[in-house]
Amino acid sequence: AETLLHMAARIEHVTRVIRPALAAGRWVICDRFVDSTRVYQGMLQGVGEARVMDLHAIALDGFLPHRTLVLDLPADTGLARAVGRSGAETRYESMGEDFHRRVGEAFRNLATAEPERCRLIDASGDPDAVAERIWQAVRDLVPDAGRGG
């Protein structure tokens, strides 16, 4: 049920927000998309990655982001950051460090399996350093980025 709810919400978001923005020539940055569903529900919660992708193919005709950024941290560091955010959801954080180690491993495997689309970003260190790593991972998508960008 949870996977189907994610798919329904994604259909709505793509239809009402993402596709119109892309059609207007705008950039879209989205926090979590099908790759998150592949990892959380597909790989770790037993739905199966192939089944998630089958549902995605039906729901959105396989619509995928041009680039998925996997911000990689040790599980304990990521959990500490998440818990430190005020008002943050705690459902996944309450699943413990072992679960989050498996999440990290699954995302790293995804980035390795799809290097043309997915980039693994070291998210440790200060925010400026992480921002620079992110820029390096997306600059090939930005027109004229090589000219002083």
Side-chain angles (χ1 to χ4, degrees):
E2 182 177 63
T3 303
L4 293 173
L5 287 171
H6 282 298
M7 290 295 167
R10 194 160 295 126
I11 291 167
E12 189 75 9
H13 192 223
V14 168
T15 301
R16 293 183 182 258
V17 178
I18 295 176
R19 285 195 195 272
L22 293 174
R26 293 192 303 265
W27 284 77
V28 176
I29 298 173
C30 185
D31 179 21
R32 297 185 183 94
F33 203 72
V34 72
D35 294 318
S36 292
T37 308
R38 288 168 70 181
V39 167
Y40 281 90
Q41 284 72 38
M43 296 177 194
L44 298 176
Q45 293 180 328
V47 173
E49 184 181 4
R51 184 167 288 145
V52 167
M53 292 310 290
D54 287 345
L55 290 169
H56 182 73
I58 293 166
L60 290 166
D61 197 27
F63 179 83
L64 289 172
H66 290 99
R67 182 76 32 94
T68 292
L69 304 177
V70 176
L71 301 178
D72 190 36
L73 281 172
D76 59 340
T77 304
L79 275 172
R81 284 187 187 180
V83 170
R85 288 187 215 119
S86 63
E89 176 195 320
T90 59
R91 178 171 172 249
Y92 284 110
E93 286 73 16
S94 68
M95 292 184 177
E97 201 170 308
D98 181 60
F99 176 81
H100 289 279
R101 270 193 216 92
R102 292 183 296 139
V103 166
E105 181 180 338
F107 272 113
R108 285 187 294 277
N109 290 340
L110 179 68
T112 299
E114 297 188 35
E116 68 288 345
R117 191 176 61 76
C118 301
R119 300 292 188 278
L120 191 63
I121 309 291
D122 177 1
S124 63
D126 69 84
D128 289 336
V130 176
E132 178 60 25
R133 291 179 201 127
I134 290 170
W135 170 243
Q136 293 305 319
V138 299
R139 71 181 294 169
D140 65 305
L141 299 174
V142 180
D144 300 322
R147 296 187 222 159

